[in-house]
Amino acid sequence: DTAVSQTPKYLVTQMGNDKSIKCEQNLGHDTMYWYKQDSKKFLKIMFSYNNKELIINETVPNRFSPKSPDKAHLNLHINSLELGDSAVYFCASSPFMGGSPLHFGNGTRLTVT
Amino acid sequence: AQTVTQSQPEMSVQEAETVTLSCTYDTSENNYYLFWYKQPPSRQMILVIRQEAYKQQNATENRFSVNFQKAAKSFSLKISDSQLGDTAMYFCAFEVSGYALNFGKGTSLLVTP
């Protein structure tokens, strides 16, 4: 009964490849997010969707493209992977934006070699 | 721009003792929300406590409590009767409605026997 599940848990790939990370939530939440946690553990928002619509798009390279087929899913596709993309990527959801706690997935550790 | 500062990169406390983690933030907003999340070695992000800025009463969750000083823009977390399972990275976070959760850089807490 995982609330926010993301796959895969680990992803190792070479520079230049294209990869996707999938995220699904079964909480009935309207809002979903992608966060990036770098090697120093700093968490930074990348994208936020509310009811399948893009709400927040931080200064993320356009090689990163989120896709929300429905409000329970928010996938992240990354083109032309670079070494600097190595990080842990967290998906999260919340009932709404503005004060409701985020429910996080367990993260995907992406390693680009 | 809202910023969140955690000035203690690492802290250590003995089991059963009390420890306080500091957090300050900067904002011109009057209504906002503050959170503490913990991230144990398992990498999972777990909500510890939540505070609404318009509430003067400090939030409490079992052994976890906050000291919210709105005028000083300070939001410290007190952990009483520390347990080995409290060993984790602790993140202070700030949110204004319509914007995503903004995290501090974290404090690594080690609880020793």
Side-chain angles (χ1 to χ4, degrees):
Chain A
D1 282 13
T2 306
V4 181
S5 60
Q6 53 182 111
T7 54
K9 196 172 179 181
Y10 298 96
L11 187 53
V12 181
T13 188
Q14 289 185 321
M15 281 176 60
N17 285 347
D18 303 339
K19 289 292 178 186
S20 291
I21 306 172
K22 294 187 176 182
C23 179
E24 175 182 4
Q25 54 97 2
N26 63 5
L27 297 166
H29 289 169
D30 283 348
T31 309
M32 295 186 74
Y33 311 80
W34 278 108
Y35 278 83
K36 178 180 180 180
Q37 186 173 43
D38 63 22
S39 58
K40 295 183 179 177
K41 304 285 190 181
F42 182 55
L43 277 152
K44 187 170 169 55
I45 181 70
M46 299 175 70
F47 302 103
S48 170
Y49 270 72
N50 188 61
N51 273 321
K52 301 193 299 175
E53 288 193 20
L54 181 65
I55 302 296
I56 291 172
N57 181 351
E58 288 295 311
T59 50
V60 177
N62 57 16
R63 297 182 296 103
F64 291 78
S65 53
K67 293 242 179 350
S68 183
D70 54 63
K71 74 174 193 176
H73 295 84
L74 180 62
N75 304 322
L76 183 65
H77 189 75
I78 316 169
N79 289 327
S80 303
L81 278 154
E82 299 177 359
L83 293 176
D85 297 333
S86 294
V88 179
Y89 292 84
F90 283 95
C91 177
S93 73
S94 65
F96 51 86
M97 281 188 76
S100 59
L102 266 59
H103 296 250
F104 284 85
N106 288 333
T108 296
R109 180 177 292 282
L110 171 65
T111 304
V112 183
T113 62
Chain B
Q2 287 88 7
T3 58
V4 181
T5 302
Q6 294 179 249
S7 58
Q8 306 148 315
E10 295 178 347
M11 293 193 74
S12 179
V13 64
Q14 280 197 314
E15 218 175 347
E17 297 294 307
T18 295
V19 64
T20 298
L21 310 183
S22 66
C23 173
T24 58
Y25 57 93
D26 187 25
T27 183
S28 57
E29 300 286 337
N30 194 42
N31 292 322
Y32 49 86
Y33 305 87
L34 294 158
F35 304 83
W36 280 96
Y37 282 85
K38 70 181 271 190
Q39 186 179 38
S42 65
R43 198 170 77 197
Q44 188 181 4
M45 290 288 292
I46 303 164
L47 175 70
V48 175
I49 205 162
R50 172 182 177 269
Q51 175 81 42
E52 296 162 348
Y54 61 84
K55 287 189 177 178
Q56 290 188 326
Q57 186 173 4
N58 289 325
T60 299
E61 286 289 341
N62 300 315
R63 298 181 295 106
F64 298 87
S65 61
V66 298
N67 182 4
F68 174 46
Q69 301 288 329
K70 191 172 184 179
K73 297 180 182 174
S74 170
F75 183 61
S76 60
L77 174 70
K78 185 171 85 171
I79 306 173
S80 304
D81 185 26
S82 296
Q83 300 175 359
L84 296 178
D86 294 335
T87 290
M89 195 81 173
Y90 285 81
F91 293 96
C92 178
F94 171 96
E95 185 181 12
V96 172
S97 286
Y99 294 86
L101 198 59
N102 191 15
F103 287 89
K105 293 189 174 181
T107 296
S108 179
L109 177 67
L110 176 65
V111 181
T112 57

Short mmCIF file of all heavy atoms in Angstrom, two decimals, chain A residues 9-10 33 35 37 40-43 45 56 88 90 97-102 104 106-109, chain B residues 33 35 37 39 42-47 50 89 91 95-105:
data_model
loop_
_atom_site.label_atom_id
_atom_site.label_comp_id
_atom_site.label_asym_id
_atom_site.label_seq_id
_atom_site.Cartn_x
_atom_site.Cartn_y
_atom_site.Cartn_z
N LYS A 9 14.41 2.37 -8.36
CA LYS A 9 15.04 2.85 -7.14
C LYS A 9 16.48 3.30 -7.42
O LYS A 9 16.97 4.26 -6.82
CB LYS A 9 15.05 1.72 -6.11
CG LYS A 9 15.33 2.17 -4.70
CD LYS A 9 15.10 1.00 -3.74
CE LYS A 9 15.41 1.43 -2.31
NZ LYS A 9 15.21 0.32 -1.36
N TYR A 10 17.15 2.59 -8.31
CA TYR A 10 18.50 2.93 -8.72
C TYR A 10 18.55 2.94 -10.24
O TYR A 10 17.92 2.11 -10.90
CB TYR A 10 19.53 1.93 -8.18
CG TYR A 10 19.60 1.86 -6.67
CD1 TYR A 10 18.89 0.90 -5.96
CD2 TYR A 10 20.38 2.77 -5.96
CE1 TYR A 10 18.94 0.86 -4.58
CE2 TYR A 10 20.44 2.72 -4.57
CZ TYR A 10 19.72 1.77 -3.89
OH TYR A 10 19.77 1.72 -2.52
N TYR A 33 5.13 16.71 -7.31
CA TYR A 33 6.38 17.46 -7.40
C TYR A 33 7.53 16.53 -7.78
O TYR A 33 7.51 15.33 -7.49
CB TYR A 33 6.74 18.07 -6.04
CG TYR A 33 5.65 18.82 -5.33
CD1 TYR A 33 4.66 18.14 -4.61
CD2 TYR A 33 5.62 20.21 -5.33
CE1 TYR A 33 3.67 18.83 -3.93
CE2 TYR A 33 4.62 20.90 -4.65
CZ TYR A 33 3.66 20.20 -3.96
OH TYR A 33 2.68 20.88 -3.28
N TYR A 35 11.67 16.77 -6.88
CA TYR A 35 12.76 17.44 -6.20
C TYR A 35 14.06 16.72 -6.55
O TYR A 35 14.08 15.51 -6.75
CB TYR A 35 12.59 17.39 -4.68
CG TYR A 35 11.68 18.44 -4.11
CD1 TYR A 35 10.30 18.28 -4.09
CD2 TYR A 35 12.20 19.62 -3.58
CE1 TYR A 35 9.47 19.26 -3.57
CE2 TYR A 35 11.38 20.61 -3.05
CZ TYR A 35 10.02 20.41 -3.06
OH TYR A 35 9.20 21.39 -2.53
N GLN A 37 17.92 16.03 -5.07
CA GLN A 37 18.81 16.11 -3.91
C GLN A 37 20.23 15.85 -4.37
O GLN A 37 20.56 14.75 -4.84
CB GLN A 37 18.42 15.11 -2.82
CG GLN A 37 19.23 15.28 -1.54
CD GLN A 37 18.73 14.42 -0.39
OE1 GLN A 37 18.40 13.27 -0.56
NE2 GLN A 37 18.67 15.00 0.80
N LYS A 40 25.42 16.96 -1.68
CA LYS A 40 25.51 17.59 -0.36
C LYS A 40 24.18 17.54 0.37
O LYS A 40 24.00 18.22 1.38
CB LYS A 40 26.00 19.03 -0.49
CG LYS A 40 27.42 19.12 -1.02
CD LYS A 40 27.92 20.54 -1.07
CE LYS A 40 29.35 20.58 -1.58
NZ LYS A 40 29.87 21.95 -1.71
N LYS A 41 23.25 16.77 -0.15
CA LYS A 41 21.94 16.55 0.48
C LYS A 41 20.98 17.73 0.31
O LYS A 41 19.91 17.72 0.92
CB LYS A 41 22.05 16.21 1.98
CG LYS A 41 22.92 15.02 2.28
CD LYS A 41 22.22 13.76 1.94
CE LYS A 41 22.99 12.56 2.45
NZ LYS A 41 22.33 11.29 2.12
N PHE A 42 21.34 18.71 -0.50
CA PHE A 42 20.46 19.86 -0.67
C PHE A 42 19.30 19.49 -1.58
O PHE A 42 19.50 18.97 -2.67
CB PHE A 42 21.24 21.05 -1.24
CG PHE A 42 20.41 22.29 -1.39
CD1 PHE A 42 19.71 22.81 -0.31
CD2 PHE A 42 20.31 22.93 -2.60
CE1 PHE A 42 18.94 23.95 -0.43
CE2 PHE A 42 19.54 24.07 -2.74
CZ PHE A 42 18.86 24.59 -1.66
N LEU A 43 18.08 19.77 -1.11
CA LEU A 43 16.86 19.45 -1.85
C LEU A 43 16.36 20.69 -2.57
O LEU A 43 16.10 21.72 -1.94
CB LEU A 43 15.77 18.99 -0.88
CG LEU A 43 15.80 17.54 -0.47
CD1 LEU A 43 15.18 17.36 0.88
CD2 LEU A 43 15.08 16.67 -1.49
N ILE A 45 13.49 22.15 -5.51
CA ILE A 45 12.31 21.90 -6.33
C ILE A 45 12.69 21.99 -7.81
O ILE A 45 13.48 22.85 -8.22
CB ILE A 45 11.18 22.90 -6.00
CG1 ILE A 45 9.92 22.61 -6.84
CG2 ILE A 45 11.63 24.33 -6.18
CD1 ILE A 45 9.22 21.34 -6.46
N ILE A 56 4.84 24.95 -11.41
CA ILE A 56 6.16 25.47 -11.11
C ILE A 56 7.18 24.78 -12.00
O ILE A 56 7.18 23.57 -12.14
CB ILE A 56 6.54 25.22 -9.63
CG1 ILE A 56 5.67 26.08 -8.72
CG2 ILE A 56 8.02 25.51 -9.38
CD1 ILE A 56 5.84 25.77 -7.25
N VAL A 88 19.91 12.20 -6.30
CA VAL A 88 18.71 11.45 -5.94
C VAL A 88 17.51 12.31 -6.31
O VAL A 88 17.44 13.49 -5.94
CB VAL A 88 18.69 11.10 -4.44
CG1 VAL A 88 17.40 10.34 -4.10
CG2 VAL A 88 19.90 10.27 -4.06
N PHE A 90 13.51 12.88 -6.02
CA PHE A 90 12.35 12.53 -5.21
C PHE A 90 11.07 13.03 -5.87
O PHE A 90 10.97 14.20 -6.26
CB PHE A 90 12.43 13.17 -3.82
CG PHE A 90 13.38 12.48 -2.88
CD1 PHE A 90 14.68 12.93 -2.74
CD2 PHE A 90 12.96 11.39 -2.15
CE1 PHE A 90 15.55 12.30 -1.88
CE2 PHE A 90 13.83 10.74 -1.28
CZ PHE A 90 15.13 11.20 -1.16
N MET A 97 -1.46 22.88 -2.88
CA MET A 97 -0.27 23.69 -2.62
C MET A 97 -0.62 24.76 -1.58
O MET A 97 -1.63 25.42 -1.71
CB MET A 97 0.22 24.38 -3.89
CG MET A 97 0.99 23.45 -4.79
SD MET A 97 1.75 24.34 -6.16
CE MET A 97 3.10 25.11 -5.31
N GLY A 98 0.25 24.89 -0.59
CA GLY A 98 0.01 25.91 0.41
C GLY A 98 -0.30 25.33 1.77
O GLY A 98 -1.44 25.37 2.23
N GLY A 99 0.73 24.77 2.41
CA GLY A 99 0.56 24.37 3.79
C GLY A 99 0.33 22.90 4.05
O GLY A 99 0.46 22.46 5.20
N SER A 100 0.00 22.14 3.05
CA SER A 100 -0.22 20.72 3.32
C SER A 100 1.12 19.98 3.20
O SER A 100 1.90 20.25 2.30
CB SER A 100 -1.24 20.12 2.36
OG SER A 100 -0.83 20.26 1.03
N PRO A 101 1.37 19.06 4.14
CA PRO A 101 2.65 18.35 4.12
C PRO A 101 2.83 17.53 2.85
O PRO A 101 1.87 17.01 2.27
CB PRO A 101 2.56 17.42 5.34
CG PRO A 101 1.52 18.02 6.21
CD PRO A 101 0.54 18.68 5.28
N LEU A 102 4.06 17.41 2.43
CA LEU A 102 4.38 16.59 1.27
C LEU A 102 4.58 15.14 1.68
O LEU A 102 5.15 14.85 2.73
CB LEU A 102 5.66 17.10 0.60
CG LEU A 102 5.50 18.09 -0.55
CD1 LEU A 102 4.77 19.34 -0.10
CD2 LEU A 102 6.85 18.43 -1.15
N PHE A 104 6.51 11.94 0.36
CA PHE A 104 7.59 11.67 -0.56
C PHE A 104 7.66 10.20 -0.95
O PHE A 104 7.35 9.31 -0.15
CB PHE A 104 8.94 12.05 0.07
CG PHE A 104 9.20 13.52 0.11
CD1 PHE A 104 8.72 14.30 1.15
CD2 PHE A 104 9.95 14.12 -0.90
CE1 PHE A 104 8.97 15.66 1.19
CE2 PHE A 104 10.21 15.49 -0.86
CZ PHE A 104 9.72 16.26 0.18
N ASN A 106 10.39 7.14 -2.21
CA ASN A 106 11.66 6.74 -1.61
C ASN A 106 12.88 7.19 -2.39
O ASN A 106 14.01 6.89 -2.00
CB ASN A 106 11.70 5.22 -1.42
CG ASN A 106 10.77 4.79 -0.28
OD1 ASN A 106 10.50 5.55 0.64
ND2 ASN A 106 10.27 3.57 -0.37
N GLY A 107 12.66 7.90 -3.46
CA GLY A 107 13.79 8.44 -4.20
C GLY A 107 14.35 7.49 -5.25
O GLY A 107 14.25 6.27 -5.12
N THR A 108 14.93 8.08 -6.28
CA THR A 108 15.64 7.32 -7.31
C THR A 108 17.06 7.85 -7.37
O THR A 108 17.25 9.05 -7.62
CB THR A 108 14.98 7.49 -8.69
OG1 THR A 108 13.67 6.94 -8.66
CG2 THR A 108 15.81 6.83 -9.78
N ARG A 109 18.02 6.98 -7.10
CA ARG A 109 19.42 7.42 -7.18
C ARG A 109 19.90 7.22 -8.61
O ARG A 109 20.01 6.09 -9.09
CB ARG A 109 20.31 6.64 -6.23
CG ARG A 109 21.78 7.07 -6.30
CD ARG A 109 22.65 6.36 -5.30
NE ARG A 109 22.35 6.73 -3.93
CZ ARG A 109 22.74 7.85 -3.36
NH1 ARG A 109 23.47 8.72 -4.01
NH2 ARG A 109 22.43 8.09 -2.09
N TYR B 33 3.97 28.66 6.07
CA TYR B 33 3.99 27.41 6.82
C TYR B 33 5.43 26.96 6.99
O TYR B 33 6.26 27.15 6.08
CB TYR B 33 3.19 26.33 6.08
CG TYR B 33 1.79 26.77 5.77
CD1 TYR B 33 1.50 27.47 4.60
CD2 TYR B 33 0.74 26.49 6.65
CE1 TYR B 33 0.21 27.89 4.32
CE2 TYR B 33 -0.55 26.91 6.36
CZ TYR B 33 -0.80 27.62 5.20
OH TYR B 33 -2.08 28.04 4.93
N PHE B 35 8.01 23.67 8.36
CA PHE B 35 8.04 22.23 8.56
C PHE B 35 9.43 21.79 8.99
O PHE B 35 10.43 22.44 8.68
CB PHE B 35 7.73 21.48 7.25
CG PHE B 35 6.43 21.83 6.60
CD1 PHE B 35 6.33 22.94 5.78
CD2 PHE B 35 5.31 21.03 6.79
CE1 PHE B 35 5.12 23.27 5.16
CE2 PHE B 35 4.10 21.34 6.17
CZ PHE B 35 4.02 22.45 5.35
N TYR B 37 11.42 18.12 8.43
CA TYR B 37 11.42 16.76 7.89
C TYR B 37 12.70 16.07 8.35
O TYR B 37 13.73 16.71 8.54
CB TYR B 37 11.42 16.78 6.35
CG TYR B 37 10.08 17.08 5.73
CD1 TYR B 37 9.65 18.39 5.56
CD2 TYR B 37 9.23 16.05 5.31
CE1 TYR B 37 8.41 18.66 4.98
CE2 TYR B 37 8.00 16.32 4.72
CZ TYR B 37 7.60 17.63 4.57
OH TYR B 37 6.38 17.90 4.00
N GLN B 39 15.37 12.77 7.44
CA GLN B 39 15.77 11.81 6.42
C GLN B 39 16.78 10.85 7.04
O GLN B 39 17.96 11.16 7.15
CB GLN B 39 16.38 12.51 5.19
CG GLN B 39 16.68 11.55 4.05
CD GLN B 39 17.25 12.25 2.83
OE1 GLN B 39 18.04 13.19 2.94
NE2 GLN B 39 16.85 11.80 1.65
N SER B 42 17.97 5.49 5.51
CA SER B 42 17.16 4.79 4.50
C SER B 42 16.77 5.69 3.34
O SER B 42 16.26 5.22 2.32
CB SER B 42 15.87 4.25 5.15
OG SER B 42 15.06 5.34 5.59
N ARG B 43 17.01 6.99 3.47
CA ARG B 43 16.77 7.99 2.42
C ARG B 43 15.32 8.49 2.39
O ARG B 43 15.01 9.48 1.72
CB ARG B 43 17.15 7.40 1.05
CG ARG B 43 17.37 8.41 -0.06
CD ARG B 43 17.97 7.75 -1.26
NE ARG B 43 17.02 6.99 -2.05
CZ ARG B 43 17.38 6.08 -2.95
NH1 ARG B 43 18.65 5.78 -3.14
NH2 ARG B 43 16.47 5.43 -3.65
N GLN B 44 14.43 7.84 3.11
CA GLN B 44 13.04 8.26 3.09
C GLN B 44 12.87 9.63 3.75
O GLN B 44 13.50 9.92 4.76
CB GLN B 44 12.21 7.22 3.85
CG GLN B 44 10.73 7.39 3.76
CD GLN B 44 9.98 6.33 4.54
OE1 GLN B 44 10.58 5.50 5.22
NE2 GLN B 44 8.67 6.35 4.45
N MET B 45 12.04 10.48 3.21
CA MET B 45 11.75 11.79 3.78
C MET B 45 10.48 11.68 4.62
O MET B 45 9.42 11.29 4.11
CB MET B 45 11.52 12.82 2.67
CG MET B 45 12.79 13.16 1.89
SD MET B 45 13.93 14.15 2.85
CE MET B 45 13.05 15.70 3.00
N ILE B 46 10.59 12.04 5.89
CA ILE B 46 9.49 11.85 6.83
C ILE B 46 9.14 13.17 7.50
O ILE B 46 10.02 13.86 8.02
CB ILE B 46 9.88 10.83 7.92
CG1 ILE B 46 10.30 9.50 7.28
CG2 ILE B 46 8.76 10.62 8.93
CD1 ILE B 46 11.05 8.57 8.21
N LEU B 47 7.87 13.53 7.48
CA LEU B 47 7.43 14.75 8.16
C LEU B 47 7.56 14.57 9.67
O LEU B 47 7.10 13.58 10.22
CB LEU B 47 5.98 15.05 7.81
CG LEU B 47 5.36 16.24 8.54
CD1 LEU B 47 5.98 17.55 8.06
CD2 LEU B 47 3.85 16.26 8.35
N ARG B 50 4.80 20.34 11.82
CA ARG B 50 4.32 21.42 10.95
C ARG B 50 3.81 22.57 11.81
O ARG B 50 3.17 22.34 12.84
CB ARG B 50 3.20 20.88 10.07
CG ARG B 50 2.45 21.90 9.24
CD ARG B 50 1.35 21.18 8.45
NE ARG B 50 0.52 22.09 7.67
CZ ARG B 50 -0.59 22.66 8.12
NH1 ARG B 50 -1.00 22.43 9.35
NH2 ARG B 50 -1.28 23.46 7.33
N MET B 89 19.24 13.07 8.99
CA MET B 89 19.41 14.43 8.50
C MET B 89 18.08 15.12 8.75
O MET B 89 17.01 14.57 8.43
CB MET B 89 19.72 14.37 7.00
CG MET B 89 20.25 15.64 6.44
SD MET B 89 22.00 15.78 6.80
CE MET B 89 22.40 17.23 5.86
N PHE B 91 15.75 18.49 8.05
CA PHE B 91 15.60 19.63 7.15
C PHE B 91 14.48 20.53 7.66
O PHE B 91 13.36 20.07 7.91
CB PHE B 91 15.24 19.16 5.74
CG PHE B 91 16.34 18.40 5.04
CD1 PHE B 91 16.34 17.02 5.05
CD2 PHE B 91 17.35 19.07 4.39
CE1 PHE B 91 17.34 16.31 4.40
CE2 PHE B 91 18.35 18.37 3.74
CZ PHE B 91 18.35 16.98 3.75
N GLU B 95 7.14 27.31 3.38
CA GLU B 95 6.25 27.35 2.22
C GLU B 95 5.28 28.52 2.30
O GLU B 95 4.66 28.74 3.33
CB GLU B 95 5.46 26.05 2.10
CG GLU B 95 4.60 25.99 0.85
CD GLU B 95 3.80 24.71 0.74
OE1 GLU B 95 3.71 23.97 1.74
OE2 GLU B 95 3.25 24.46 -0.33
N VAL B 96 5.16 29.21 1.18
CA VAL B 96 4.14 30.23 1.01
C VAL B 96 3.15 29.68 0.01
O VAL B 96 3.54 29.01 -0.96
CB VAL B 96 4.75 31.55 0.49
CG1 VAL B 96 3.67 32.54 0.12
CG2 VAL B 96 5.69 32.15 1.51
N SER B 97 1.86 29.93 0.22
CA SER B 97 0.85 29.43 -0.70
C SER B 97 1.17 29.80 -2.14
O SER B 97 1.49 30.96 -2.42
CB SER B 97 -0.53 30.00 -0.33
OG SER B 97 -1.02 29.38 0.82
N GLY B 98 1.08 28.83 -3.02
CA GLY B 98 1.34 29.07 -4.44
C GLY B 98 2.78 28.81 -4.83
O GLY B 98 3.11 28.82 -6.02
N TYR B 99 3.61 28.58 -3.84
CA TYR B 99 5.01 28.29 -4.11
C TYR B 99 5.37 26.94 -3.50
O TYR B 99 4.73 26.46 -2.59
CB TYR B 99 5.92 29.37 -3.51
CG TYR B 99 5.75 30.70 -4.16
CD1 TYR B 99 4.77 31.59 -3.72
CD2 TYR B 99 6.55 31.09 -5.24
CE1 TYR B 99 4.60 32.82 -4.33
CE2 TYR B 99 6.40 32.32 -5.84
CZ TYR B 99 5.42 33.18 -5.39
OH TYR B 99 5.25 34.38 -5.99
N ALA B 100 6.41 26.34 -4.05
CA ALA B 100 6.80 25.02 -3.56
C ALA B 100 7.56 25.13 -2.25
O ALA B 100 8.04 26.20 -1.87
CB ALA B 100 7.66 24.30 -4.60
N LEU B 101 7.64 24.00 -1.57
CA LEU B 101 8.38 23.91 -0.32
C LEU B 101 9.86 24.20 -0.57
O LEU B 101 10.47 23.65 -1.49
CB LEU B 101 8.19 22.51 0.24
CG LEU B 101 8.49 22.25 1.70
CD1 LEU B 101 7.63 23.12 2.59
CD2 LEU B 101 8.25 20.78 2.01
N ASN B 102 10.41 25.07 0.26
CA ASN B 102 11.79 25.52 0.12
C ASN B 102 12.58 25.00 1.32
O ASN B 102 12.27 25.34 2.45
CB ASN B 102 11.81 27.05 0.07
CG ASN B 102 13.14 27.60 -0.33
OD1 ASN B 102 13.99 26.89 -0.83
ND2 ASN B 102 13.32 28.89 -0.11
N PHE B 103 13.61 24.19 1.07
CA PHE B 103 14.34 23.52 2.15
C PHE B 103 15.62 24.23 2.54
O PHE B 103 16.28 24.87 1.71
CB PHE B 103 14.72 22.10 1.72
CG PHE B 103 13.56 21.13 1.68
CD1 PHE B 103 12.81 20.99 0.53
CD2 PHE B 103 13.24 20.38 2.79
CE1 PHE B 103 11.74 20.10 0.49
CE2 PHE B 103 12.17 19.49 2.76
CZ PHE B 103 11.43 19.35 1.61
N GLY B 104 15.99 24.09 3.81
CA GLY B 104 17.32 24.46 4.26
C GLY B 104 18.31 23.37 3.87
O GLY B 104 17.92 22.34 3.32
N LYS B 105 19.59 23.58 4.19
CA LYS B 105 20.62 22.64 3.77
C LYS B 105 20.75 21.44 4.69
O LYS B 105 21.51 20.51 4.39
CB LYS B 105 21.97 23.36 3.64
CG LYS B 105 21.97 24.35 2.50
CD LYS B 105 23.35 24.92 2.21
CE LYS B 105 23.27 25.80 0.97
NZ LYS B 105 24.57 26.37 0.59
#
